[in-house]
Amino acid sequence: MPNQDKQRGVQQVDVHRIPCSGPGDLSGVQALLDQGVLRATDIVAVMGKTEGNGCVNDFTRDFAATAWCHFLAPHLDCTPAEVAQQVALVMSGGTEGVLSPHFTVFARRWVPAPAAPPGKRLVVGIAHTRDFLPEEIGGAAQIDCTAAAVQEAMQDAGIADAADVHFVQIKCPLLTAAKVSAALGRGATPITHDSYESMGYSRGASALGVAAALGEVARDAITHASVLADWSLYSACASASAGIELEGNVVIVLGEAEGAASPYRIAHTVMQDAIDGDSVRQMLQGALDSNEAVTQRLVNLLAKAEASPNGAVRGARHTMLNDSDINATRHARAVVGGVLASVVGHTALYVSGGAEHQGPAGGGPVAAILRVLP
Amino acid sequence: MPNQDKQRGVQQVDVHRIPCSGPGDLSGVQALLDQGVLRATDIVAVMGKTEGNGCVNDFTRDFAATAWCHFLAPHLDCTPAEVAQQVALVMSGGTEGVLSPHFTVFARRWVPAPAAPPGKRLVVGIAHTRDFLPEEIGGAAQIDCTAAAVQEAMQDAGIADAADVHFVQIKCPLLTAAKVSAALGRGATPITHDSYESMGYSRGASALGVAAALGEVARDAITHASVLADWSLYSACASASAGIELEGNVVIVLGEAEGAASPYRIAHTVMQDAIDGDSVRQMLQGALDSNEAVTQRLVNLLAKAEASPNGAVRGARHTMLNDSDINATRHARAVVGGVLASVVGHTALYVSGGAEHQGPAGGGPVAAILRVLP
Amino acid sequence: MPNQDKQRGVQQVDVHRIPCSGPGDLSGVQALLDQGVLRATDIVAVMGKTEGNGCVNDFTRDFAATAWCHFLAPHLDCTPAEVAQQVALVMSGGTEGVLSPHFTVFARRWVPAPAAPPGKRLVVGIAHTRDFLPEEIGGAAQIDCTAAAVQEAMQDAGIADAADVHFVQIKCPLLTAAKVSAALGRGATPITHDSYESMGYSRGASALGVAAALGEVARDAITHASVLADWSLYSACASASAGIELEGNVVIVLGEAEGAASPYRIAHTVMQDAIDGDSVRQMLQGALDSNEAVTQRLVNLLAKAEASPNGAVRGARHTMLNDSDINATRHARAVVGGVLASVVGHTALYVSGGAEHQGPAGGGPVAAILRVLP
Amino acid sequence: MPNQDKQRGVQQVDVHRIPCSGPGDLSGVQALLDQGVLRATDIVAVMGKTEGNGCVNDFTRDFAATAWCHFLAPHLDCTPAEVAQQVALVMSGGTEGVLSPHFTVFARRWVPAPAAPPGKRLVVGIAHTRDFLPEEIGGAAQIDCTAAAVQEAMQDAGIADAADVHFVQIKCPLLTAAKVSAALGRGATPITHDSYESMGYSRGASALGVAAALGEVARDAITHASVLADWSLYSACASASAGIELEGNVVIVLGEAEGAASPYRIAHTVMQDAIDGDSVRQMLQGALDSNEAVTQRLVNLLAKAEASPNGAVRGARHTMLNDSDINATRHARAVVGGVLASVVGHTALYVSGGAEHQGPAGGGPVAAILRVLP
């Protein structure tokens, strides 16, 4: 029985995929509020795709997060800054190729238990780590704090068994020139001086924290030297996105629990490489009854993308890692966004770049949130 | 009976897809010569994917073309500059995403007619237009000269019926700041002052020339105002690629003819939009016997990609046309390259960006060259 | 006597150049409020340099403007949206090279006339045009509305003689793919389909409006065909910056008037090309007594930059207009920012890109705001 | 007495700055040969500015070097590949901002000693190191081999005293994804996995090799940990440029020697930061008689540029190191190119990006080659 510490009934999660005309456009959200379809106080997490470069100086993430804070503050009766402590706001930059900017909003409420238990249904939980020092990014502190926060978020979601976790979204910090400089001034040694590279370290350590929390990798198998080096260590559920707009990690756990009343389920798989649409097709066929259309049931795909670190896809050289005009994560999002859109027929998908220790090298986790038809 | 003006027998075309480690790397070609698999004097056309930005200042196209000229000159007993008059060298820049740089080499020779006529088989023909003045680019002169060159190349290929043409590759010039300045100095009016935009006009006019030559669009239905405006006018076979390295159009016609002895066939279709992998799957299923693997038979896909000019894919907004960091053609190649690679399982595909009047708005032609198993 | 319609005394303008750590960082502004140095209700105009690409999809401008709206709303007792109607918020994207992001804040109040009239001093006025239809951008409507708004802003500033105007800052809209599409759908014809190019048309028409208002160019000498074509028509005071975040023009007039009590003066010149530091040195030497240091007196330089449209600087070819990886305005800001910083010794300068009809072709206006030492 | 091992007379160096219309355009060089002004067999070194991105995938460097090899091969009676062993071909990518693509050609011959010894005059010498393994780049092997090659090149130039060396140009290799992968496969550990970052390590180690050779820094003061960390260690003469097109370092030493017959002198200084035009002005005033114009005498400036690693210029934040759309070296070249062009009045300057251990942090060496008027 999930959510035993909450006496208000059983958990019911609603998921809304809402398009936007720019990072600060929440008119679609307002419309749902106006229609009574969504209640602002129920919003527990937002996963946004914003149209920046998804790299160091992508301010569309901060812009969108700030817009959400200003938007929700009067509803939550707190300051804009306090909103980010109550709601997990994860903005992932980069809508390269066909990807369409949008927000996926998770709303959670507690309802009376339904007459007939519906089987496993979607649940969601969130948690925050403490802020990290610049020199902690990419290292043990970030791994361990993330692992603890994942377990906290599982508890918040009412998930007891790691096998019921299907996707763990992390938002994690990066190193800027200013932060590196400050750390060096204190005699501390950041893991890299390069901002763009720090994003990879932060994502990689966060993903290993997820893997440890879910038992996918034994914690003591992860050493300082593993991060961004031993690609055999990975989580099949982790999705980490680095951003300039925060100093600690935010964690969203998506999974299933018996007894929840949500009209959604969630499934996941792993793309073996950036063009592995077949794994996604199989996951969808497994999760759906054969005669139901994907278009009717799919709310969103949540996926990670990366340029394979060995410089090749199925044996043929790619040029993403040597491209000094377009960062590799941008290429990777464009590819995986296109592949997934060709499978499911729409383009407002959550595809996030940089899949270090998130799925196998060159591949990445993909989760599907599916509507349960009445 | 094709090639009636050539008394040496029937046409036999061989196609080689050859990877390279950089724009100037022809070691793979040399290896084929050394193995006796390819004869330099048979080479009639080369379609390269090079790893530049595919836009105005992409010198990888010129670098590769120059390398080919230096490579072939001793074999053809001419100067490097003269090679480009004998062989159609079409270098298309841009290997965004998973696309892998490579050359597709078409070799043609005349062999004794086989005992049993094999049915329709691959043939190839080439032609060149005259050089264009800057102010002619994007206008009637380019349309008409291209149409004439397509018919010349059909004749060279031995194709009498436009229905047997499956792909027409054009390499066409663009406007640089210097050329615009020179034209204005003469009192002439180029169609645009913007170099990147001129690439679209040059591709669009060239494609309309193909459409006119093949009877897909009536010549008198095309006016000055149609170019880059009336997207209902298009060729389902045209593929045009603009480059800084030439002043006239180069034309390669790929099609089929009865009696040719080539161990290849060619088929084509049109992607309706950038994520329309299904049309390509259907074309391959139609062209292949059901129990044959694509991987065994496919030599290469030749495709065009573009950001849909109405700013949306299947109704959802895309951001490609508003992106001032990455040009839209680069996004489009990354997407279509990923989608096609997910269909056929390899990434050394010829995907060229900017599909103005080449397929429907937002989509583009795709041809498949398939090996005929003995 | 300026400002005769305001009975509260004489105009006193204060100017603050305030660094920021990102587009949404107004902590430096808050500090000035806390110190009592600046009063929020006095703020009449803000000219920001934000760290985006300065082109179409630069959301740092919108982010900063939105932050200002949220920041000022409680002080002005209005909604955030209404702030933009009361205060001229001009955010110019792009801090390429050494340029340092910052805000220049103009505060205006009315004080008792000083005992001794100080001679000409800095005054400021603002105005807004109506919103433009997509097809009006770059054409006569934008020119004429801008000219009228400049005269309105001169009146607001208390300037009667155009010779006392030293800098006219315009923020103007651009065309997005969506706006172009909408216009075409209505049967209207936007001046260009290309978003980036539309920025140039919008800036150019706005600058010609300034030139007409100030009598630098006769209105009837400006035709539809002049815009972005006849570079002999220009304003020596206009600075126009295009952005995605508005639909009409915002106008800030900076000049001098007898009797104002501001402890600042303003001077201007024209750079003849992007490396013409000498003109700026001469202007500063003319405006300053010889023994005063620039560093003591200079508040800020306000300048326009562009890649010379003929493709050359002092006879040598430049590559800015053919660069498909970095837009020409970005190159130009980096150059002019460096040149100006080498003259004045600091880098938080207002350098805006795209100087169509703003100064001579390849050059641009530069104004210096100078503190008057007591 | 310089060049004592060469019995043909005294050294006479000629320097030609030759514009080009693209990386492969040597028509300007051919014109000088045709005019008898330059003899192909005298060419000892070429320093080119080519119009690529100057980063990892800048093939304009390789294109230009290859063009030179094909151009000189018949003159030197060797294969194109052998040309690079006889002539030091250093192509530096990146002509951001106003910089104009060009080649600076150094021709050396031996002439009878002039009647009156002219004082110190320009001399040039070259050398090559062996090829480096991927894991040697950025480390002791590269430092030591470079130091040895500098001394070899000094000897070739006829310079005995390090004080007579004014500029040492290095072309050095970088790590590609393929090289990193190969090294890791052998169990070796490259200094970084990131291609762009490897360029900095390669330049930094090369510059420290120059500093050691010239006695600017004691060799035993340089440890593995110094590279890209201890910015107090630097050469005031080194200029290193990394490229994908070679595996070892090429060294060009430019300096002066008594008795040489060259009609040129050379001077150098150090810019303290990217906007330090004053140091260059002072150097030129010191080297020139007061009444001579720079424009008459200056052949070229040779300079290094970088984004200051502490993230600020004269105390104000810059955004170059956090920019994921444009690499910092590109910003830096645009700035320094503009500053230097504003000092000397022309834009075909050799400004190379990435000044690690080349001048102080954020600054860089600048040398001026000056014509001696008869």
Side-chain angles (χ1 to χ4, degrees):
Chain A
M1 175 64 192
N3 316 310
Q4 58 199 113
D5 58 335
K6 277 145 187 163
Q7 302 305 324
R8 287 162 290 174
V10 299
Q11 186 180 161
Q12 181 185 302
V13 176
D14 271 303
V15 193
H16 302 274
R17 194 187 67 209
I18 307 169
C20 58
S21 67
D25 172 34
L26 299 181
S27 60
V29 185
Q30 183 62 52
L32 292 187
L33 297 189
D34 293 347
Q35 294 159 23
V37 175
L38 174 65
R39 218 161 54 182
T41 49
D42 291 344
I43 297 175
V44 64
V46 179
M47 290 172 60
K49 277 310 304 176
T50 63
E51 53 204 278
N53 63 25
C55 302
V56 180
N57 63 330
D58 181 352
F59 295 98
T60 64
R61 294 177 303 227
D62 196 4
F63 187 11
T66 301
W68 273 96
C69 287
H70 281 289
F71 181 84
L72 290 179
H75 294 284
L76 304 187
D77 201 19
C78 66
T79 67
E82 287 163 354
V83 169
Q85 298 307 311
Q86 296 187 39
V87 178
L89 298 171
V90 173
M91 302 299 153
S92 163
T95 56
E96 293 81 3
V98 293
L99 290 170
S100 189
H102 69 282
F103 301 107
T104 303
V105 176
F106 295 87
R108 185 171 64 169
R109 62 170 76 186
W110 310 93
V111 298
K120 288 189 178 179
R121 291 299 178 86
L122 180 68
V123 291
V124 61
I126 67 169
H128 295 76
T129 69
R130 65 169 172 82
D131 287 357
F132 299 119
L133 292 169
E135 60 270 28
E136 289 180 330
I137 289 177
Q142 195 177 20
I143 294 170
D144 290 327
C145 290
T146 303
V150 170
Q151 287 176 328
E152 192 187 329
M154 282 173 62
Q155 202 166 7
D156 183 45
I159 298 176
D161 183 353
D164 282 327
V165 173
H166 288 273
F167 205 70
V168 181
Q169 177 62 44
I170 309 278
K171 186 81 199 184
C172 54
L174 55 78
L175 293 174
T176 59
K179 286 200 228 173
V180 167
S181 214
L184 293 172
R186 285 187 289 103
T189 308
I191 200 160
T192 175
H193 293 195
D194 184 79
S195 296
Y196 178 71
E197 198 172 48
S198 77
M199 300 177 79
Y201 278 107
S202 185
R203 288 188 300 254
S206 298
L208 289 171
V210 175
L214 299 184
E216 299 176 290
V217 174
R219 176 63 185 89
D220 57 12
I222 307 168
T223 67
H224 187 75
S226 312
V227 183
L228 300 205
D230 182 353
W231 301 121
S232 72
L233 308 180
Y234 67 82
S235 167
C237 298
S239 163
S241 176
I244 207 170
E245 67 275 20
L246 77 179
E247 304 297 333
N249 280 14
V250 177
V251 175
I252 304 173
V253 162
L254 296 172
E256 294 188 329
E258 291 284 350
S262 316
Y264 300 93
R265 296 207 59 178
I266 183 167
H268 81 281
T269 187
V270 165
M271 289 174 82
Q272 296 299 323
D273 59 26
I275 59 174
D276 180 18
D278 290 344
S279 290
V280 181
R281 257 193 206 88
Q282 285 165 22
M283 170 189 65
L284 291 171
Q285 285 165 355
L288 296 170
D289 301 337
S290 57
N291 55 349
E292 290 173 303
V294 166
T295 48
Q296 271 188 283
R297 299 265 317 267
L298 183 73
V299 182
N300 212 347
L301 291 181
L302 314 176
K304 287 298 301 189
E306 76 175 357
S308 57
N310 73 345
V313 174
R314 302 203 188 168
R317 178 169 75 101
H318 68 72
T319 61
M320 298 185 263
L321 296 171
N322 288 341
D323 190 339
S324 300
D325 297 313
I326 303 178
N327 274 311
T329 43
R330 306 202 72 182
H331 283 286
R333 276 189 296 267
V335 171
V336 172
V339 171
L340 293 179
S342 77
V343 173
V344 301
H346 79 85
T347 61
L349 304 168
Y350 183 88
V351 178
S352 162
E356 302 84 355
H357 305 295
Q358 301 149 68
V366 184
I369 299 175
L370 296 160
R371 202 168 279 113
V372 176
L373 296 185
Chain B
M1 176 64 191
N3 316 308
Q4 57 200 112
D5 57 335
K6 275 142 187 165
Q7 302 304 326
R8 288 162 290 176
V10 298
Q11 186 180 160
Q12 180 185 304
V13 176
D14 270 303
V15 193
H16 302 273
R17 195 186 67 211
I18 307 169
C20 59
S21 66
D25 172 34
L26 299 181
S27 59
V29 185
Q30 183 62 54
L32 291 186
L33 296 190
D34 294 345
Q35 294 159 25
V37 175
L38 175 66
R39 218 160 55 181
T41 48
D42 291 344
I43 297 175
V44 63
V46 178
M47 290 172 61
K49 278 307 306 176
T50 63
E51 53 203 277
N53 61 26
C55 304
V56 181
N57 63 331
D58 181 352
F59 295 99
T60 63
R61 295 177 303 227
D62 195 5
F63 188 9
T66 301
W68 273 96
C69 288
H70 281 290
F71 181 84
L72 289 180
H75 294 284
L76 304 187
D77 201 19
C78 66
T79 67
E82 287 163 355
V83 169
Q85 297 309 311
Q86 296 188 38
V87 179
L89 298 171
V90 174
M91 302 299 153
S92 163
T95 56
E96 293 81 3
V98 294
L99 290 170
S100 190
H102 69 283
F103 300 106
T104 302
V105 176
F106 295 88
R108 185 171 65 168
R109 64 171 75 188
W110 309 94
V111 298
K120 288 189 177 179
R121 292 300 177 85
L122 180 68
V123 292
V124 60
I126 67 171
H128 295 76
T129 70
R130 65 169 172 82
D131 286 356
F132 298 118
L133 293 170
E135 61 270 27
E136 290 180 329
I137 289 176
Q142 194 177 21
I143 295 170
D144 291 326
C145 290
T146 302
V150 169
Q151 288 175 327
E152 191 187 329
M154 283 173 63
Q155 201 166 7
D156 183 46
I159 298 176
D161 182 354
D164 282 327
V165 173
H166 289 273
F167 205 72
V168 181
Q169 177 62 46
I170 309 278
K171 186 81 198 185
C172 54
L174 54 80
L175 294 174
T176 59
K179 285 200 230 172
V180 168
S181 213
L184 292 172
R186 283 187 289 104
T189 306
I191 199 160
T192 175
H193 293 194
D194 184 78
S195 296
Y196 178 70
E197 200 172 47
S198 77
M199 300 177 80
Y201 279 106
S202 185
R203 287 187 300 255
S206 298
L208 289 172
V210 175
L214 299 184
E216 299 176 291
V217 174
R219 176 62 185 90
D220 56 14
I222 306 168
T223 66
H224 187 74
S226 312
V227 183
L228 300 205
D230 183 352
W231 301 122
S232 72
L233 307 180
Y234 66 83
S235 167
C237 298
S239 163
S241 175
I244 206 168
E245 67 275 19
L246 77 178
E247 304 299 333
N249 280 14
V250 178
V251 175
I252 305 173
V253 162
L254 296 172
E256 294 188 329
E258 291 285 349
S262 316
Y264 300 93
R265 295 207 59 178
I266 184 168
H268 81 281
T269 187
V270 165
M271 289 174 82
Q272 296 299 323
D273 59 26
I275 59 173
D276 180 18
D278 290 344
S279 289
V280 180
R281 257 193 206 86
Q282 285 165 22
M283 169 188 66
L284 291 171
Q285 284 164 355
L288 296 169
D289 301 336
S290 58
N291 55 351
E292 291 172 302
V294 166
T295 47
Q296 270 187 284
R297 300 265 316 268
L298 183 74
V299 181
N300 213 346
L301 291 180
L302 314 176
K304 287 298 302 189
E306 76 175 356
S308 58
N310 72 346
V313 174
R314 302 203 187 169
R317 178 171 74 101
H318 68 72
T319 61
M320 297 185 265
L321 295 172
N322 289 340
D323 189 341
S324 300
D325 297 312
I326 303 178
N327 275 311
T329 43
R330 308 202 69 182
H331 283 285
R333 277 188 295 266
V335 172
V336 172
V339 171
L340 293 180
S342 78
V343 172
V344 301
H346 78 85
T347 61
L349 304 168
Y350 183 89
V351 178
S352 163
E356 302 84 355
H357 304 295
Q358 302 149 67
V366 184
I369 300 175
L370 296 159
R371 202 167 279 114
V372 176
L373 296 186
Chain C
M1 178 63 193
N3 316 309
Q4 57 200 117
D5 58 336
K6 278 149 185 159
Q7 302 303 327
R8 288 161 289 176
V10 299
Q11 185 180 163
Q12 180 184 303
V13 176
D14 271 302
V15 193
H16 303 274
R17 195 187 67 211
I18 307 169
C20 59
S21 66
D25 173 34
L26 300 181
S27 59
V29 185
Q30 183 61 54
L32 292 187
L33 297 190
D34 294 345
Q35 293 159 26
V37 175
L38 174 66
R39 218 163 52 184
T41 49
D42 291 344
I43 297 174
V44 64
V46 178
M47 289 172 61
K49 278 307 305 177
T50 63
E51 51 202 302
N53 63 26
C55 304
V56 181
N57 63 331
D58 181 352
F59 294 98
T60 64
R61 296 177 303 228
D62 194 4
F63 187 11
T66 301
W68 273 96
C69 287
H70 281 290
F71 181 84
L72 290 179
H75 294 284
L76 305 187
D77 201 20
C78 66
T79 67
E82 287 164 354
V83 169
Q85 297 307 311
Q86 296 188 38
V87 179
L89 297 172
V90 174
M91 302 301 152
S92 163
T95 56
E96 293 81 4
V98 295
L99 290 170
S100 190
H102 69 283
F103 301 105
T104 303
V105 176
F106 295 88
R108 183 170 68 167
R109 62 170 77 188
W110 309 95
V111 298
K120 288 190 178 176
R121 291 300 177 86
L122 181 66
V123 292
V124 60
I126 67 170
H128 295 76
T129 70
R130 64 169 171 83
D131 288 355
F132 298 119
L133 292 169
E135 61 270 28
E136 289 180 329
I137 290 177
Q142 195 177 20
I143 294 170
D144 290 325
C145 290
T146 303
V150 169
Q151 288 175 326
E152 192 187 329
M154 283 174 62
Q155 202 167 4
D156 183 47
I159 299 176
D161 183 353
D164 282 327
V165 173
H166 288 273
F167 204 71
V168 181
Q169 177 63 44
I170 309 277
K171 185 81 198 183
C172 54
L174 54 81
L175 293 174
T176 58
K179 285 200 229 172
V180 168
S181 213
L184 293 172
R186 284 188 290 103
T189 307
I191 199 159
T192 173
H193 292 195
D194 183 79
S195 296
Y196 178 70
E197 199 171 49
S198 78
M199 301 176 78
Y201 278 106
S202 186
R203 288 187 300 254
S206 298
L208 290 171
V210 175
L214 299 184
E216 300 177 290
V217 174
R219 176 61 185 92
D220 57 13
I222 306 169
T223 67
H224 188 75
S226 313
V227 182
L228 301 205
D230 182 352
W231 302 123
S232 73
L233 308 180
Y234 66 83
S235 167
C237 298
S239 163
S241 176
I244 205 169
E245 67 275 19
L246 77 178
E247 304 298 334
N249 280 14
V250 177
V251 175
I252 305 173
V253 162
L254 297 172
E256 293 188 330
E258 292 285 351
S262 317
Y264 300 93
R265 295 206 59 178
I266 183 168
H268 81 281
T269 188
V270 164
M271 290 175 79
Q272 296 299 322
D273 59 25
I275 59 173
D276 179 18
D278 289 345
S279 290
V280 181
R281 258 193 205 86
Q282 285 165 23
M283 169 189 66
L284 291 171
Q285 284 164 356
L288 296 170
D289 301 337
S290 59
N291 56 351
E292 288 173 304
V294 166
T295 48
Q296 271 188 283
R297 300 264 317 266
L298 183 74
V299 182
N300 212 346
L301 291 181
L302 314 176
K304 286 300 300 190
E306 76 174 357
S308 57
N310 72 346
V313 174
R314 303 203 187 169
R317 178 171 73 102
H318 68 72
T319 61
M320 296 184 265
L321 295 172
N322 288 341
D323 190 341
S324 300
D325 297 312
I326 304 178
N327 275 311
T329 44
R330 309 202 70 182
H331 283 286
R333 278 189 295 267
V335 171
V336 172
V339 171
L340 294 179
S342 78
V343 172
V344 301
H346 79 84
T347 61
L349 304 168
Y350 183 88
V351 178
S352 164
E356 301 84 354
H357 303 295
Q358 302 148 67
V366 185
I369 300 174
L370 296 159
R371 202 168 278 114
V372 176
L373 295 186
Chain D
M1 178 61 193
N3 316 309
Q4 57 197 115
D5 58 337
K6 279 151 184 157
Q7 302 304 327
R8 288 161 290 175
V10 299
Q11 186 180 162
Q12 181 184 303
V13 176
D14 271 303
V15 193
H16 302 274
R17 195 186 66 211
I18 307 168
C20 58
S21 67
D25 173 33
L26 300 181
S27 59
V29 185
Q30 183 62 53
L32 292 187
L33 296 190
D34 293 346
Q35 295 159 23
V37 175
L38 174 65
R39 218 162 55 184
T41 49
D42 290 345
I43 296 174
V44 64
V46 178
M47 288 172 62
K49 278 308 304 176
T50 63
E51 54 203 277
N53 63 25
C55 302
V56 180
N57 62 332
D58 181 353
F59 294 99
T60 63
R61 296 177 303 229
D62 195 5
F63 187 11
T66 300
W68 273 96
C69 287
H70 280 290
F71 181 84
L72 290 180
H75 294 283
L76 304 187
D77 200 19
C78 65
T79 67
E82 287 164 354
V83 169
Q85 298 307 311
Q86 296 187 39
V87 179
L89 298 171
V90 174
M91 302 301 152
S92 164
T95 56
E96 293 82 4
V98 294
L99 291 170
S100 190
H102 68 283
F103 300 105
T104 304
V105 176
F106 295 88
R108 184 171 67 168
R109 62 170 77 186
W110 309 94
V111 298
K120 287 189 178 178
R121 292 299 177 87
L122 180 68
V123 291
V124 59
I126 67 170
H128 295 76
T129 69
R130 64 170 171 82
D131 287 355
F132 299 119
L133 293 169
E135 61 270 28
E136 289 180 328
I137 290 176
Q142 195 177 20
I143 295 170
D144 290 328
C145 290
T146 303
V150 169
Q151 289 177 326
E152 192 186 330
M154 284 174 62
Q155 203 166 4
D156 182 47
I159 299 176
D161 184 353
D164 283 327
V165 173
H166 288 273
F167 205 71
V168 180
Q169 177 63 43
I170 309 278
K171 185 79 198 185
C172 53
L174 55 80
L175 293 174
T176 58
K179 286 200 227 171
V180 167
S181 212
L184 292 172
R186 285 188 289 103
T189 308
I191 200 160
T192 174
H193 292 195
D194 184 80
S195 297
Y196 179 71
E197 198 172 49
S198 78
M199 299 176 80
Y201 278 106
S202 185
R203 289 188 299 255
S206 298
L208 289 172
V210 175
L214 301 184
E216 298 176 292
V217 174
R219 176 61 185 90
D220 56 14
I222 306 168
T223 67
H224 186 76
S226 313
V227 183
L228 300 206
D230 182 353
W231 301 121
S232 72
L233 308 180
Y234 67 82
S235 167
C237 298
S239 163
S241 176
I244 207 170
E245 67 276 19
L246 78 178
E247 304 298 334
N249 280 15
V250 177
V251 176
I252 305 173
V253 162
L254 296 171
E256 294 188 330
E258 293 284 351
S262 317
Y264 300 94
R265 295 207 58 177
I266 183 168
H268 81 282
T269 187
V270 164
M271 289 174 81
Q272 295 299 321
D273 58 26
I275 59 174
D276 180 18
D278 290 344
S279 289
V280 181
R281 259 194 204 85
Q282 286 166 23
M283 169 188 67
L284 291 171
Q285 286 165 352
L288 297 169
D289 301 338
S290 58
N291 55 351
E292 288 173 304
V294 166
T295 47
Q296 271 189 283
R297 299 264 317 266
L298 183 73
V299 182
N300 212 347
L301 291 181
L302 314 176
K304 286 299 301 190
E306 75 174 357
S308 58
N310 72 346
V313 173
R314 302 204 189 169
R317 178 170 75 100
H318 67 72
T319 61
M320 296 185 264
L321 296 172
N322 288 341
D323 189 340
S324 301
D325 296 313
I326 304 178
N327 276 309
T329 43
R330 308 202 70 182
H331 283 286
R333 276 189 296 266
V335 171
V336 172
V339 171
L340 294 179
S342 78
V343 172
V344 302
H346 78 85
T347 61
L349 303 168
Y350 183 89
V351 178
S352 162
E356 302 84 354
H357 304 294
Q358 301 149 67
V366 185
I369 300 175
L370 296 158
R371 202 168 278 111
V372 177
L373 297 185

